[in-house]
Amino acid sequence: MTTAGEIMHPGAQWIPATETLDRAAQLMSRLNVGALPISDSNERLCGILTDRDIVIGCVAKGHDPSKITAGDMAQGTPRWIDAGADVSEVLEEMQSHQIRRLPVIDNKRLVGMISEADLAKHLSEEQIAGWAEKVYARR
């Protein structure tokens, strides 16, 4: 059984909900990532911020990214997976919610992220094709 912890990219980093979007963009650049999990004051997952969220949800609307926080952008129920979960559970979670990045949690702590690139490294072409068909399908 392959687990989420085995296919994840380790070392993911939170961004506090109180941090501004300009700082979030700087952190994304420094880490070379396109998404950051957002943590509340108790270091609990409260959302995910993507580079697209910053551009479309803030800059394109004429807002100042130094005045909008990551928490302001957090919407909906954040999705995550336990590090010990089987890869089939990872695929189901991502497919059923049509998401491309999934935080991995172990003992209530962020330990990594699973992205499309991680799936591509560890899954068969058939599994990737099925995943992409469901994640990118219009509802």
Side-chain angles (χ1 to χ4, degrees), residues 8-113:
M8 72 179 186
H9 180 83
Q13 189 171 332
W14 296 108
I15 184 140
T18 55
E19 192 62 81
T20 59
L21 297 185
D22 60 336
R23 298 283 188 196
Q26 292 165 4
L27 181 59
M28 286 180 187
S29 176
R30 190 170 75 246
L31 297 174
N32 193 31
V33 298
L36 293 169
I38 304 169
S39 69
D40 64 17
S41 60
N42 296 315
E43 290 195 1
R44 302 277 184 164
L45 181 67
C46 65
I48 295 195
L49 179 67
T50 67
D51 47 8
R52 188 173 196 280
D53 293 332
I54 295 170
V55 173
I56 303 298
C58 178
V59 176
K61 292 183 177 178
H63 300 296
D64 182 349
S66 69
K67 305 264 190 266
I68 306 293
T69 67
D72 293 334
M73 300 298 289
Q75 297 177 355
T77 302
R79 309 307 308 178
W80 57 274
I81 196 85
D82 185 85
D86 184 74
V87 73
S88 62
E89 295 174 69
V90 171
L91 294 174
E92 175 59 32
E93 184 69 17
M94 294 175 89
Q95 291 168 342
S96 65
H97 297 284
Q98 292 188 304
I99 55 177
R100 289 170 248 164
R101 298 170 181 104
L102 188 62
V104 180
I105 306 293
D106 189 26
N107 293 321
K108 300 182 182 179
R109 295 285 177 218
L110 177 70
V111 293
M113 290 280 283

